[in-house]
Amino acid sequence: MEAILTFLGTGTSMGVPTIGCDCAVCTSTDPHNRRTRPSIRLAYGGHTVLIDTGPDFHAQALREGVRRVDAVLYTHGHADHVMGFDDLRPLSFYAKSNLPIYADDKTAKNIERIFEYTFRKEDRYPTSARVEIHRIDPTPGAGINLFGACFRRIPITHGREEITGYRFGSAAYLTDMSDIPEVSLPLLQDLDVLVLDALRHDPHPSHSHLDKSVAIVEQLKPRRAYFTHMSHDLDHASTNAVLPPHIRLAYDGLQIPFEIA
């Protein structure tokens, strides 16, 4: 079954352009250097699945014509990945049942705390999002079956914490990654598409940097790799010019076909 992966956003937590910055990337006229907060849409078999809903989700959904969502998976509970949760409201009103949300326990608790009014049992606002949150199995490789595709949990390291990456068919999405634990490496073999974090040129305590991400690609050997969660340190054209041809910087709106099941 073929799917289309659309990058809704490819930027870091502060976005690009970054507020108050006059650097060459932030003032660039190249639209590939305009990066909203990171998330993706997967479209397959007439269904739409999101991974993360950042604070730019409203604008991203309008830009890409998102008119329905059938499920949302979350990687972790940081603001740049969950703060668009409330914008799921109009997409949840017309479904026959509550929109299913999937997250590890820590992330689910964070969402429930921030958006308490959505989940309260009494005095609930009548137009709150109609959602049902599911805790995912923390076991490496544990699967979530959604509409004929299986989404497998890939543990990754984000600084001092473990968060969730996902593999779905021949593709994997590993945003906000500083390292890949040994237990996850067998789950990332024989990939067509690998999406992973590449924040900047210099090392960072909680994100992979450009050279490290290239080395990970060479280790895992996917057929294609795309970098995301990028800061204003990486100019799109000049960085792509020095990367191997099978590794590209992603950009907002980029669509990639692949086999999901």
Side-chain angles (χ1 to χ4, degrees):
M1 181 165 54
E2 186 172 90
I4 300 293
L5 185 159
T6 301
F7 287 92
L8 297 179
T10 56
T12 185
S13 59
M14 292 187 289
V16 183
T18 301
I19 294 172
C21 183
D22 297 319
C23 76
V25 173
C26 286
T27 57
S28 169
T29 58
D30 182 352
H32 299 99
N33 282 329
R34 300 189 67 86
R35 300 170 182 141
T36 56
R37 268 62 73 92
S39 65
I40 61 171
R41 174 185 65 183
L42 300 166
Y44 62 97
H47 295 282
T48 297
V49 175
L50 304 179
I51 300 183
D52 292 337
T53 54
D56 301 312
F57 176 64
H58 179 274
Q60 294 166 344
L62 292 176
R63 185 192 75 212
E64 298 299 330
V66 176
R67 302 184 65 86
R68 64 175 287 174
V69 172
D70 298 294
V72 184
L73 300 99
Y74 285 96
T75 59
H76 63 301
H78 288 175
D80 52 328
H81 297 263
V82 304
M83 291 307 289
F85 178 85
D86 197 63
D87 291 318
L88 293 169
R89 285 193 297 152
L91 297 168
S92 73
F93 292 159
Y94 307 108
K96 295 180 180 178
S97 57
N98 288 341
L99 176 64
I101 306 295
Y102 298 88
D104 60 42
D105 185 61
K106 182 177 180 181
T107 303
K109 287 178 178 176
N110 216 34
I111 292 171
E112 290 168 335
R113 176 182 57 82
I114 296 169
F115 302 98
E116 176 272 338
Y117 54 87
T118 297
F119 298 97
R120 67 173 63 151
K121 302 301 181 183
E122 297 181 3
D123 192 29
R124 187 174 182 273
Y125 196 68
T127 55
S128 295
R130 298 170 186 170
V131 300
E132 182 177 0
I133 197 160
H134 303 271
R135 264 69 170 174
I136 64 176
D137 184 342
T139 305
I144 303 164
N145 293 309
L146 295 173
F147 321 115
C150 184
F151 291 77
R152 300 199 175 277
R153 181 178 188 268
I154 310 296
I156 54 176
T157 304
H158 181 28
R160 296 179 180 178
E161 53 182 318
E162 179 182 285
I163 67 168
T164 300
Y166 293 98
R167 176 169 183 163
F168 30 92
S170 63
Y173 183 69
L174 310 179
T175 187
D176 285 50
M177 173 216 70
S178 53
D179 286 293
I180 301 177
E182 287 291 328
V183 69
S184 296
L185 295 177
L187 304 171
L188 295 169
Q189 301 303 307
D190 301 317
L191 286 169
D192 177 19
V193 176
L194 174 62
V195 180
L196 71 161
D197 195 332
L199 181 72
R200 63 188 193 187
H201 288 290
D202 295 333
H204 187 277
S206 57
H207 292 272
S208 184
H209 60 285
L210 190 68
D211 288 346
K212 182 174 185 176
S213 294
V214 170
I216 291 170
V217 172
E218 297 307 322
Q219 177 188 10
L220 294 175
K221 295 180 169 47
R223 284 174 281 281
R224 298 176 284 169
Y226 297 88
F227 293 160
T228 191
H229 207 293
M230 297 170 289
S231 76
H232 57 178
D233 193 47
L234 301 181
D235 173 70
H236 184 85
S238 61
T239 306
N240 268 343
V242 299
L243 289 173
H246 64 294
I247 303 176
R248 299 286 90 183
L249 301 191
Y251 56 87
D252 290 22
L254 173 64
Q255 296 189 339
I256 301 168
F258 71 99
E259 292 293 323
I260 198 168

